[in-house]
Each structure stands twice: as C-alpha cells, then as structure tokens.
Amino acid sequence: MQTTTRVAVIGGGVVGASVLYHLTRLGWSDVMLLERSELTSGSTWHAAGGFHTLNGDTNMAALQGYTIRLYKELEEITGMSCGLHHVGGVTLADNQDRFDMMLAERAKHRFMGLDTEIVGPEEIRKIAPITNLDGIIGGLYDPLDGHLDPSGTTHAYARAARMGGAMIETHCMVRETNQRPDGTWNVVTDKGTVHAEHVVNAGGLWAREVGAMAGVYFPLHPMEHQYIVTDAIPEIYERDAEHPHVMDPAGESYLRQEGRGLCIGFYEQTCAPWAVDGTPWSFGHELLPDNFDKISDSIEFAYKRFPVLERAGIKSVIHGPFTFAPDGNPLVGPVPGMRNYWSACGVMAGFSQGGGVGLTLAQWMIEGEPERDVTAMDVARFGPWISPGYTRPKVIENYQKRFSVAYPNEELPAARPNRTTPMYDIFTGMGAVWGKQYGLEVANYFAQDGEPAYETPSFRRSDAFAATAREVKAVRQAVGINEVQNFGKYRVSGPGARAWLDGIMAGRVPDEGRLSLTPMLSPRGKLLGDFTISCLGAELFHLTASYGAQACHMRWFGQNASDDALVENISDQLTGFQIAGPKAREVLAACTRTDVSDVRFLDVRRLTIGMTDCIVQRVSYTGDLGYEIYCDPMSQRALWQTLWAAGEPRGMVPFGMRAMMSLRLDRFFGSWMSEFSPDYTAAETGLDRFIRFGKNADFIGRAAAEAERAAGPARRLVSFEVDAEDADVHGYEPVWLEGEVVGFCTSGGYSHHAGKSIAIGFLPADRADEAPEVQIEILGKMRSARVITEPLFDPDGSRMRG
C-alpha cells in the first residue's frame, strides 16, 4: 500500500469517490481513497438513486444542476455506464402555499438557467397519468429529474479518478488520524500508516466516528429511510416511454419507475433515528428490518394519490439509514480550528449533490476558495455550541419536513430555546415572538394583546405586519431599543494589531476613539464579510459583523494569523442594546453623568451608564440617530433597567428583527448573505466606497479589487420601488427588462415608514444608471418596479450623522 499522499480521502461512497475524481480533475494526482470495505459500502449501495435540481438555496440548486450534467461526461471519460434515466419529474401542489413555493422556485430558476416549468392539472395528467389529481392545483416540472445506478455511478467516479492518477485502497480500515506538529497527518490503518498532507472526512454513516478520531464533533445523525419496489404494473410496462418521477409533498413521498413496476419512498412523520450512540463499524451491506407500521399512513395516502399501487404486489422493501445534518444540507469545507482537515459529510442527497460537493471541496483545497458562495453547506455554519442533544431533534425535524413548504419567514421549533440572553424572560413577558440565529433566540417582533404569539408562515405579508409597523413608527418618531447580542464580535490586540487589520481588511483602520466600516475580501476580491472596526486603544480594536458567520470568520482569521496580533471571538462575552430614533440622544444623556452631546457619528466611547461600564458606538443599522451600547452579559439586566427607566417616559418601545429589516430598507442598507455574500464583489455591491485604495498595505484581495475598479463591474446593486400587492420581494426574484431576465433581487420587503414595497437587486452596470421601468416576478406575477436612488428616510443623512 502507498504510504505517503497529498490527500487521504476516508470513505468510498459516492461522495468520497467524487472528491477523489475532482481533485485529479483540478490537477492533484497524488491522492488516495481509503475504504474499510468495498466501494459503496454505506448508504450509497441502497440509495434509490434519484436526482433533481430543486433546492431552496439557489447555489445548492446550481451545484445539483452541475452534478446531473456531469454524469454524461463521466460516461464519456470512463466508458462506463451510470445507468442514467433522464425521465423528468413533476412536484405536485395541493394547496396555495405549496403552489406559491413552486412559483417562487420557478422564478429563481429563470436567472439560473434551469429550464423548469409551472404546469396545471391537465398537463400533469399527460406527464404522469397514474396520478389522481383530486385537489391538485398545479405543479413544477423539471426535465432534468431522473435516476441512475448508484453502484455504476460510484465506480465511474472511481475509474475517472484512477485515470487521473489517484489510488484507491479497499478493505483498508482507518483506526486513527493523528496530526503531526507540521500540520500533516498520520492516518493509521490496519494495513499500515499513511502520511498525508490533507485528510478529507467523507465517512458517510461513519463520519461522526471518523471525526472523533481527530477530536472533531460533526453534527450529523443517521435516519432510517424506507422505500418499496412493486411487482409489474400494466399501466407502467405498457407505456411507450418510461414514467416520469412524481414528488407528492402532501403524501411525503417520491415515486419513479423501476423496471416494469414502481419505486416509492417516504419521509414519514413517525420517523426513527438510527444508531443514536454511534454507527457500528460492522455495519455495511446490511439492511434494517422492514417496518411497515411507521409508513402505514404514508402508504394509505399513496394508494389514494396513485391508485395503481393498491393493485400492485410488493417485490422488495429497502430499509436503510441515511445521514443528515440539522438543516439537511451537507457539511463541506475546511473544519474550523483544524489544519488540513476537510469535511465532505452529511450529503444526504448524494446523487443530486455529490458532484457539486466534490467540485466545491477540490476548488477550496487547490485554489483556496470555491467559485461560488457555498455558505449553505459550509461545515462552519454550525458553531462550537452544537451538541448531539441539539443535532438529533433538528435532524428528526428536518426529515419530517423534507417535503414541507419552506417559507421565507418560518421559524422551526425543534431544539428551542437553546441559547438565550439574560433578556429572554423579560422580553418574553413583553410579548416577544422569537426567531433564531446561529442557535441564539432573537426577538422578531413584540405582540400586543390580541395579536398572535406566533407568526404564521407565509410567502405573503404575514400576521406580523401590524406589529412591525408599530415598532417602525416608534423608532422613527421617538426611540426604540433592541439587543445587539446577534452581532459577531471580535477583539484584536497586540503590537501588530493595526498592521494585521490593514492587511486583512480592505478599508480604513480608524484612529483611537473612532470606528470605520470595511469589507473583508477573498484573494479573488469576493466578499467574506462587512465589518465595523472600533479603535479602543493604540493596540486594541473591536470588530463587529454577522453573528452567524463567527466560525467562518474565525477560520479565516486563523488562516491569516499574525504572531503579534491576538484575535479573540468575544461574541458572547459582550452584549447590550441598540437605541435608535430622534430621542435616542436624550435617553442616553439621561442615563450617564458624562456629556454626550459631542459624541459624533462614528465615535466610540467608554461610558458608565447607570451602574454599568459600557462601550458606546455612535452608529445604527436603522439609519437613524442611534447608539450601540455594549456591556458584560452579567450587567445586561441592570443596563436594561437604566435605559428603560429613562426611555419609557420618552416613548421607548422594544423592536425586533422584522422592524430592523424594514428600517434598513429606508436607507437601502445591505444585509449579510443577501446583498453582501461571497458571490459578490465590493464594486458590484457598492462596498468599494469603503475600500482604502490609498493605504500602504497589500490587503487581501487588493489586486482583484483594483482590477475591477479599473474595468468597472459588470453589474451593480440598485434599489427599486415595487408596485406590489400582498407579497413583497424576499430574494432571487428575476428582474425583467424588455422581455428578458436581466437581473435578480437580493432582498426586499415593505418600508413601513414610507408605505412602499422595496426591493434591492442587480442590474447590468450599463442599464443601472438609466433608472428604467422594469418588472419583478413575484409569485408568478409581473410587478412593475422603478429604480430609486434617493433614500426614503433622512436622504441627506442629517439625522443619522447630526
């Protein structure tokens, strides 16, 4: 056996084989795969083998499209068959909410280049004639849907990898993974030790166990999954062509032709987690005992939807485990806190996503960053707070909701509340309706007497509309207060702190007592974060950014560390409040003996507020006069009592994230992972105005940013006023101009201050200045929209900066 390699991929399922192939495809030939048994000896061999492009995240959908298109290329490269059946597929909608979701997905597909189609009942009857259409409103047809041979496809990946120089060692059990002082790894197997520069965990059902060898917890859990293959059915084998796939979300089922019969699988509500305390190493090509009891309700529903099933005998039952992450997406990328350790785990839909996962990881390893934003499957999207006790109920919830409607405002209840601030009980008593971010409970809005304590999920304006309007009005007319816990916060200290910040941030590093706004760029000039830097001393800085990006940002800081600058994640060591509105200064002045009249916009001060020592920053995401006030979490309740006592007589109200996201639209402020993400550059989004090109520092991404400044971006972010009715833009709606799709929306909503529907999105740079009349497709309807350039509130910034 080969004893040295550049990359050791652990796991010989479809994902491990795809990673191995893509590493060779991108130029690394000295790579090897270690498999304890035979290739496919996990969940791969018993998979139903279906593939589709439908995914709520557009980048995931694009990667699934890449995966599906790759199969013909694999066949051409290797001469092997993947057993492809491109039969197309239709997803059924039996109520308006399901149909709204399909309309929204179809709209996204327009600018993604995916050729899906909304179809009505009569068209469905032609596509899938075995379907009982009672109650069906319509559906979404995807010609790329199909299925394949799982074993043949995995072996095609493997052969293509071998052709590129890769080695594959089967019947080779990994016992240990031990890191050397230089960051490389000793992978100890029952055949000897392999010295590898990089390790990739593609362990599938055993990914938790493989991770534990390196001291890493992967938030994964296997679930039992069952599908049935029927005997021959005349309505199927007498057809001239293979029957297309049918996804029936109401019945939690997927169906396709299998030989002369049908294959139907279920995501039942009475589901069962498997191997709760660990996957046995002895498990391999076995199946689980049949369990018809847990799918009896699903089968009964399926008989009504597809009556031919009731007359068909059962040929075989496949009941095996699949591994899920808490949100159902894969765990891919460099593991935070580890050197040269990579994840390719939790790929539940391996034959829809395996190719995209392999490509993404190979790009990340070889080129330093993937070509598109892959936050939805980044292993760093879960923080160190996650535990098996959290993972299991979230995985069960995700399994149960596999075919449920995914609403843009939905807050899922499993494993909550988990992480809370000292204000949780106080705000709950004030009517807080909670959402979550990165495991933290965050107030979305505050319900008053008679208002529902739960926001009904919807694609249209929800029952939080009135409460949100009330909170926005209070901020604009008096003063509002909300928590600042849901900011990521970092302390940078040491003699090299300023120089380090100048190198990793593209913008200005402020003088003492001031703060600045700056993008953080990748080497290709893509956005990795939008930060506030506060200078508290000659060698002390505080940074704030997105709370949900903590692990991603700390991973990047660690990869670009300096010996004389210490970076600490203090996100949960500082908390506090934001106060905003025309009376915000008056409230602050009433709470401290220090004169605050000279605290300028973008100033940062240390102040004692009541009994509490605080850091106060003159800045507000509401676009209003406002202050961010940070304190020790142990003092947060005392700080609240001080601010509330001064604020309540002045009309202070607590406000939540729904109001915050409406208020920011008044000033066209972008939001992380909407307007600002690794898919976009600073020049495209307007963040280039914060880049300090004149500073004497070769900051990361400088060359790319300068090249784009010289050439100009191909597209630009603009704001629109939309003639909407009961539904606003959420994100990724296509923008039409002169009969063609020319752009897409990044986010939007309703400005309660202006009483207008607002959207933010991209237009070609040469069209953005024309302020054209465009149309935005919202839930299948064309809505007229106009580019607007003057903010809806405080257009000259006099209140925000005054």
Side-chain angles (χ1 to χ4, degrees):
M1 182 181 73
Q2 183 175 317
T3 58
T4 62
T5 187
R6 193 168 197 174
V7 182
V9 178
I10 303 174
V14 65
V15 175
S18 171
V19 170
L20 194 72
Y21 161 66
H22 281 92
L23 287 170
T24 64
R25 178 172 175 168
L26 269 62
W28 283 10
S29 58
D30 180 17
V31 295
M32 69 184 303
L33 184 148
L34 305 173
E35 165 54 44
R36 68 184 182 90
S37 182
E38 297 285 352
L39 295 181
T40 78
S41 299
S43 56
T44 295
W45 80 268
H46 62 72
F51 52 79
H52 58 87
T53 58
L54 186 63
N55 191 294
D57 181 273
T58 55
N59 281 314
M60 288 297 298
L63 286 171
Q64 288 175 198
Y66 164 80
T67 300
I68 294 167
R69 288 187 289 269
L70 175 64
Y71 292 133
K72 288 186 177 179
E73 182 180 336
L74 271 180
E75 290 183 330
E76 293 171 358
I77 291 171
T78 64
M80 296 178 66
S81 172
C82 293
L84 291 177
H85 296 254
H86 277 288
V87 296
V90 62
T91 303
L92 306 176
D94 67 333
N95 60 47
Q96 190 59 49
D97 280 358
R98 291 192 200 281
F99 196 59
D100 281 350
M101 184 178 77
M102 292 177 192
L103 291 170
E105 290 303 308
R106 171 64 188 115
K108 294 177 186 178
H109 295 164
R110 292 190 194 279
F111 69 84
M112 295 169 60
L114 295 175
D115 189 25
T116 57
E117 181 184 355
I118 295 293
V119 291
E122 289 307 311
E123 292 167 291
I124 295 172
R125 191 184 309 280
K126 297 174 183 176
I127 295 168
I130 66 170
T131 307
N132 176 1
L133 296 172
D134 290 349
I136 297 299
I137 298 174
L140 180 69
Y141 177 73
D142 186 348
L144 282 181
D145 273 16
H147 57 276
L148 46 64
D149 169 26
S151 178
T153 300
T154 304
H155 283 277
Y157 275 124
R159 176 176 288 184
R162 287 189 179 102
M163 292 169 67
M167 298 290 293
I168 296 177
E169 195 72 32
T170 58
H171 298 283
C172 182
M173 175 76 177
V174 174
R175 303 285 189 190
E176 301 174 21
T177 55
N178 302 314
Q179 192 161 41
R180 295 185 176 191
D182 65 355
T184 62
W185 292 85
N186 285 336
V187 182
V188 181
T189 81
D190 57 1
K191 289 185 175 180
T193 297
V194 177
H195 178 211
E197 182 180 348
H198 299 271
V199 168
V200 176
N201 182 348
L205 289 172
W206 297 268
R208 294 175 298 173
E209 286 69 32
V210 172
M213 295 176 186
V216 179
Y217 170 64
F218 284 89
L220 299 166
H221 205 293
M223 295 292 293
E224 298 179 4
H225 182 66
Q226 202 162 198
Y227 65 90
I228 296 168
V229 178
T230 74
D231 288 329
I233 300 173
E235 290 89 341
I236 296 300
Y237 66 74
E238 290 177 356
R239 285 173 52 86
D240 294 334
E242 187 171 353
H243 195 282
H245 287 206
V246 184
M247 276 63 69
D248 182 22
E252 302 156 347
S253 71
Y254 59 87
L255 175 144
R256 67 168 176 83
Q257 184 170 339
E258 175 70 19
R260 291 163 60 85
L262 289 169
C263 165
I264 183 167
F266 306 99
Y267 284 89
E268 68 283 356
Q269 294 301 298
T270 55
C271 57
W274 182 74
V276 171
D277 296 316
T279 303
W281 289 111
S282 59
F283 189 81
H285 279 85
E286 300 88 348
L287 288 174
L288 307 178
D290 299 348
N291 187 348
F292 286 100
D293 288 343
K294 77 182 172 86
I295 60 172
S296 59
D297 290 344
S298 300
I299 291 174
E300 183 179 352
F301 194 100
Y303 283 169
K304 295 175 183 177
R305 181 69 74 210
F306 310 106
V308 296
L309 290 172
E310 196 165 13
R311 303 190 300 271
I314 295 176
K315 182 178 180 180
S316 59
V317 179
I318 308 297
H319 190 198
F322 287 83
T323 301
F324 294 73
D327 59 3
N329 279 339
L331 301 176
V332 180
V335 175
M338 304 292 287
R339 186 176 172 189
N340 294 349
Y341 194 95
W342 303 79
S343 175
C345 306
V347 191
M348 182 277 301
F351 293 98
S352 292
Q353 300 173 342
V357 167
L359 175 67
T360 295
L361 195 67
Q363 289 176 337
W364 219 329
M365 296 178 74
I366 296 172
E367 300 171 6
E369 58 183 296
E371 65 181 286
R372 64 176 68 246
D373 172 25
V374 292
T375 301
M377 64 178 182
D378 190 340
V379 65
R381 70 186 183 277
F382 298 109
W385 47 267
I386 203 165
S387 69
Y390 175 93
T391 298
R392 188 167 56 257
K394 293 304 288 186
V395 165
I396 292 171
E397 178 184 63
N398 179 268
Y399 184 98
Q400 292 171 328
K401 296 184 72 64
R402 175 72 176 157
F403 281 147
S404 296
V405 178
Y407 297 95
N409 67 327
E410 186 171 22
E411 297 287 352
L412 300 177
R416 294 178 58 197
N418 181 26
R419 306 177 73 235
T420 62
T421 75
M423 290 300 297
Y424 183 77
D425 61 331
I426 293 176
F427 276 172
T428 297
M430 299 178 77
V433 178
W434 295 98
K436 69 170 176 62
Q437 183 183 11
Y438 201 59
L440 174 72
E441 295 295 314
V442 178
N444 279 340
Y445 65 95
F446 292 81
Q448 293 186 351
D449 292 343
E451 293 179 333
Y454 170 74
E455 182 181 6
T456 304
S458 177
F459 285 91
R460 300 169 193 273
R461 292 174 189 160
S462 77
D463 46 15
F465 192 80
T468 303
R470 182 174 61 245
E471 294 170 17
V472 167
K473 182 178 180 181
V475 172
R476 291 290 184 239
Q477 295 185 358
V479 59
I481 184 168
N482 75 345
E483 288 190 274
V484 291
Q485 173 66 27
N486 60 325
F487 285 152
K489 311 170 198 80
Y490 312 91
R491 179 188 295 126
V492 183
S493 59
R498 179 175 290 275
W500 182 81
L501 284 168
D502 255 331
I504 203 165
M505 299 294 175
R508 176 177 58 87
V509 180
D511 296 330
E512 188 169 347
R514 296 287 286 167
L515 61 88
S516 65
L517 308 178
T518 175
M520 183 170 72
L521 306 179
S522 76
R524 292 177 178 169
K526 298 295 185 72
L527 295 172
L528 295 182
D530 63 317
F531 282 79
T532 298
I533 305 177
S534 304
C535 182
L536 302 177
E539 297 182 359
L540 179 61
F541 298 84
H542 278 186
L543 315 180
T544 58
S546 168
Y547 188 77
Q550 289 174 55
C552 298
H553 287 157
M554 285 300 294
R555 179 177 63 194
W556 185 246
F557 295 157
Q559 290 170 354
N560 295 278
S562 168
D563 291 338
D564 54 2
L566 175 64
V567 183
E568 303 167 90
N569 183 355
I570 59 170
S571 297
D572 297 326
Q573 297 174 37
L574 279 183
T575 188
F577 302 96
Q578 172 187 196
I579 58 173
K583 296 185 179 180
R585 183 184 289 112
E586 189 178 333
V587 170
L588 184 63
C591 297
T592 179
R593 297 184 61 82
T594 304
D595 181 9
V596 296
S597 62
D598 63 343
V599 178
R600 300 169 296 161
F601 182 62
L602 301 185
D603 270 357
V604 57
R605 299 273 184 92
R606 295 184 183 273
L607 296 175
T608 299
I609 299 176
M611 299 184 294
T612 309
D613 290 332
C614 301
I615 296 170
V616 179
Q617 301 187 162
R618 173 73 191 281
V619 67
S620 174
Y621 191 53
T622 67
D624 214 315
L625 167 65
Y627 305 86
E628 292 173 358
I629 305 170
Y630 296 93
C631 68
D632 186 298
M634 294 293 288
S635 303
Q636 188 184 18
R637 290 169 75 106
L639 177 60
W640 162 260
Q641 291 166 359
T642 299
L643 293 171
W644 186 248
E648 190 175 19
R650 294 169 172 85
M652 176 180 280
V653 300
F655 68 101
M657 289 305 298
R658 296 285 185 261
M660 178 80 87
M661 298 309 284
S662 175
L663 290 160
R664 62 106 183 178
L665 291 175
D666 297 341
R667 297 280 307 171
F668 312 148
F669 288 169
S671 174
W672 182 246
M673 292 314 298
S674 293
E675 285 66 48
F676 311 137
S677 87
D679 270 336
Y680 313 135
T681 67
E684 290 174 334
T685 58
L687 286 183
D688 56 335
R689 66 187 184 277
F690 297 116
I691 294 180
R692 183 56 64 92
F693 286 103
K695 69 179 182 179
N696 186 26
D698 187 21
F699 58 84
I700 297 172
R702 178 165 193 152
E706 288 180 336
E708 187 173 38
R709 181 171 65 153
R715 59 186 179 185
R716 277 183 32 210
L717 205 61
V718 298
S719 298
F720 304 94
E721 179 183 338
V722 187
D723 294 338
E725 288 185 0
D726 64 340
D728 303 299
V729 159
H730 293 290
Y732 295 108
E733 293 84 353
V735 179
W736 294 75
L737 181 62
E738 297 173 354
E740 64 176 347
V741 176
V742 297
F744 62 94
C745 297
T746 50
S747 73
Y750 191 79
S751 165
H752 289 277
H753 169 73
K756 297 177 178 180
S757 183
I758 302 299
I760 303 175
F762 283 107
L763 282 181
D766 59 353
R767 310 299 295 269
D769 291 329
E770 299 174 11
E773 180 94 8
V774 300
Q775 290 183 310
I776 297 177
E777 184 179 351
I778 302 176
L779 299 182
K781 295 184 179 180
M782 296 298 188
R783 301 296 184 189
S784 295
R786 293 155 299 284
V787 173
I788 52 177
T789 57
E790 183 173 287
L792 307 172
F793 167 76
D794 194 25
D796 61 357
S798 58
R799 195 149 107 183
M800 182 175 68
R801 295 183 175 88

